[in-house]
Amino acid sequence: MTIAISIRDLQKTYANGFEALKGISLEVAQGDFFALLGPNGAGKSTTIGVISTLINKSGGAVEVFGRNVDTHVFETKFDLGIVPQEVNFSLFEKVGDIVRTQAGYYGMPRQLAAERTEKYLRKLGLWDKRDERSRSLSGGMKRRLMIARALVHEPRLLILDEPTAGVDIELRRSMWEFLTEINNNGTTIILTTHYLEEAEQLCRNIAIIDEGRIIENTSMKKLLAELDSQTFILDTIDELPESLDFTIDSTPVRRIDEHSLEVTLSAGKDVNEMFSLLDAKGLKIASLRNKTNRLEQLFMSRLNGN
Amino acid sequence: MGFSAMRANHKFIAFETIVIKEIRRFTRIWLQTLVPPAITIGLYFVIFGNLVGRRIGEMDGFQYMEFIVPGLIMMAVIQNSYSNVVSSFFSQKFQRSIEELLVSPVPNYVILTGFAVGGMARGLLVGLVVTIMAMLFTDLQIQHPFITVSVILMTSMVFSLAGFINAVFANSFDDISIIPTFVLTPLIYLGGVFYSVQLLPSFWQVVSSLNPIFYMVNTFRYGILGTSDVDIYWAFLILGVFIVVLYGCCIWLLRHGTGIRN
């Protein structure tokens, strides 16, 4: 198995004494779609900053495809594409120029730079905007522009720091499709996000970082399997009685309002049994959803346990 | 892209990209970057050269207008080379677009040379505009073309590099105007742009000799008029030392990420 990125005992203490990273270690395999989760200030962006050399580390080592980022500065940068959290392009430049200029920084001849610029601006739905100043773009378009810019040199490893923050649902889903497509084509992706549904949907492996330490590093499947119960919200067709005095899976069924109720099932419990019991009570179910995202439940329990 | 490292032609493309971006920037805002210095220097020609100059008579054996032309061209080149790099690099820091360069595999010396050449391009373009304007007021004959071109290129390089250092340390827009206002302008005005150092008492002649701009202005004047208050070889040596020292400082700052990497 080829390792796309290996982080060993990474430390960062800022000039004001704040210890942002307290020795984190992490490996991401080539081809993986990896989620790096954590609350605000946990150290996610600092980690990305160190990998991209925008932040000087205090200790530890980072290797990209087996090459140390300190000793093989130029080679590792060809392998890396970074999409930062905040907009970091000139707001006075044209969209096409921003991507073409980035291609130039990677030494791409003019013809190739123009082709790649067109390819990625088209893929991200920005080709029509190529001659517009970047300040005129919407928030979602600005994020897509940063993705196009990060991909123009076709890196083997793409790191995205909250790429869908503040992006509407439709656009977020189209970005998910795009990222899945490039991951399927072989690009390793590391993603930080606050949308746990996004991480659950896209990522195969996950690390949770809190207060500068990795507190969980496992596969998404294994992590979700640790859930010992799930709580569902069910909407009924008919109006519910004032009180519900029965249990399912030894847990009382809770009435939320006249058309919805809450049921908690232990892990592995057959959902059909729940429907049979509700049916026997004369309750017709119109729809069902998880009360909270499954990953969110685990995420909160890990943070609370830390 | 499958590059094992950045090859020479890739470095050249990166360098060219930075220079083109810099030129695109100052030509896009030509009303802020090219027109004001042309107007200011044009006013110097009209007021000091033409109106006041007629009453002054000769300076070092030349009409006053002829005498101040080299200094005014040099002033335009110095101010514009400096301000192009300081404002461009600082605004890229401010907007964080400098990160585009920092995450890419461009070596530090390519980044620095790109910005410096961008600054020189603006300085020399403004210098050319001012020279053309000067030709409307006086008959400009260049006595030593090689010295003229060499000294203007080297001076432009020195102040582009100095502007880069200012931008690296600047944390606000105030910080990029302090040095030009309180250091650069007085040094230029006291650098013999408007007068011959021979007019000064001996003490102030010695003080003037500590001003590096004095050497640059006089060497440029020598190139155009064939007269100078300084030893030309000494002036070129000073310019060479400044370029080497400033370039070294800039590379050191880039390598340590001063002001740009956390």
Side-chain angles (χ1 to χ4, degrees), chain A:
Chain A
M1 181 181 68
T2 307
I3 300 297
I5 190 161
S6 164
I7 298 171
R8 286 192 306 275
D9 195 27
L10 196 61
Q11 294 156 43
K12 173 64 190 176
T13 305
Y14 286 99
N16 61 5
F18 175 67
E19 237 184 314
L21 299 177
K22 298 169 182 166
I24 69 164
S25 295
L26 200 62
E27 274 190 353
V28 177
Q30 184 174 17
D32 200 357
F33 206 136
F34 190 92
L36 184 61
L37 305 180
N40 287 333
K44 305 184 296 293
S45 297
T46 301
T47 305
I48 293 172
V50 171
I51 295 168
S52 61
T53 72
L54 291 174
I55 295 176
N56 294 329
K57 65 183 186 310
S58 308
V62 178
E63 283 182 3
V64 174
F65 291 100
R67 287 186 289 220
N68 191 298
V69 295
D70 297 325
T71 53
H72 294 77
V73 182
F74 304 113
E75 293 92 333
T76 52
K77 283 181 172 181
F78 275 112
D79 281 329
L80 266 177
I82 305 282
V83 181
Q85 202 177 118
E86 307 283 345
V87 168
N88 71 343
F89 49 73
S90 167
L91 296 173
F92 303 104
E93 282 198 69
K94 289 179 184 169
V95 170
D97 288 339
I98 288 172
V99 181
R100 236 184 330 267
T101 297
Q102 192 70 13
Y105 292 160
Y106 283 84
M108 241 177 264
R110 207 166 290 180
Q111 178 66 26
L112 180 62
E115 285 169 15
R116 291 273 183 88
T117 300
E118 180 173 350
K119 176 181 172 183
Y120 287 103
L121 284 181
R122 279 193 190 282
K123 270 184 182 287
L124 285 140
L126 291 169
W127 182 240
D128 294 344
K129 304 279 180 189
R130 64 191 179 279
D131 291 324
E132 288 186 21
R133 304 267 173 221
S134 62
R135 66 171 178 268
S136 69
L137 299 182
S138 67
M141 286 175 180
K142 284 176 181 157
R143 287 192 184 276
R144 280 185 281 156
L145 173 56
M146 291 198 290
I147 296 176
R149 187 187 59 182
L151 286 170
V152 76
H153 64 289
E154 301 194 336
R156 290 196 284 170
L157 172 61
L158 181 67
I159 302 179
L160 303 109
D161 196 359
E162 296 186 29
T164 53
V167 167
D168 67 47
I169 297 201
E170 192 188 353
L171 186 58
R172 196 183 310 162
R173 296 209 178 257
S174 76
M175 271 163 93
W176 290 1
E177 278 172 28
F178 176 72
L179 293 175
T180 305
E181 182 194 324
I182 60 168
N183 179 245
N184 289 340
N185 290 337
T187 307
T188 309
I189 296 181
I190 298 177
L191 176 83
T192 80
T193 179
H194 275 126
Y195 300 109
L196 300 178
E197 180 203 359
E198 181 169 275
E200 186 180 341
Q201 185 115 358
L202 295 173
C203 302
R204 289 186 283 280
N205 291 295
I206 182 171
I208 299 175
I209 182 169
D210 188 30
E211 294 176 359
R213 287 195 179 87
I214 299 284
I215 56 169
E216 186 66 84
N217 184 5
T218 183
S219 75
M220 191 67 78
K221 259 188 194 160
K222 274 188 194 163
L223 186 65
L224 293 175
E226 286 181 29
L227 269 179
D228 50 8
S229 65
Q230 284 194 78
T231 302
F232 298 101
I233 305 291
L234 298 102
D235 299 316
T236 58
I237 293 168
D238 303 316
E239 199 168 309
L240 288 166
E242 280 303 312
S243 67
L244 299 170
D245 51 354
F246 64 98
T247 62
I248 295 178
D249 195 20
S250 313
T251 311
V253 174
R254 194 171 75 84
R255 181 185 188 276
I256 297 172
D257 56 39
E258 61 266 30
H259 278 288
S260 52
L261 52 89
E262 184 181 304
V263 178
T264 301
L265 295 182
S266 50
K269 194 78 183 170
D270 190 346
V271 183
N272 289 317
E273 278 182 31
M274 173 183 75
F275 285 121
S276 305
L277 270 163
L278 292 169
D279 194 41
K281 295 283 180 189
L283 300 173
K284 304 289 177 208
I285 305 303
S287 63
L288 163 147
R289 63 185 183 278
N290 275 93
K291 185 180 180 184
T292 53
N293 174 269
R294 297 179 303 164
L295 183 58
E296 191 175 314
Q297 229 171 301
L298 285 159
F299 180 75
M300 291 313 296
S301 74
R302 289 297 187 281
L303 292 185
N304 292 335
N306 188 33

Side-chain angles (χ1 to χ4, degrees), chain B residues 127-160:
Chain B
L128 182 68
V129 170
V130 170
T131 305
I132 292 167
M133 288 176 68
M135 289 163 80
L136 301 175
F137 294 94
T138 181
D139 183 24
L140 209 59
Q141 302 281 336
I142 297 174
Q143 302 300 317
H144 305 285
F146 180 74
I147 290 176
T148 306
V149 172
S150 307
V151 76
I152 201 100
L153 286 174
M154 290 173 84
T155 304
S156 179
M157 180 69 150
V158 165
F159 286 95
S160 293

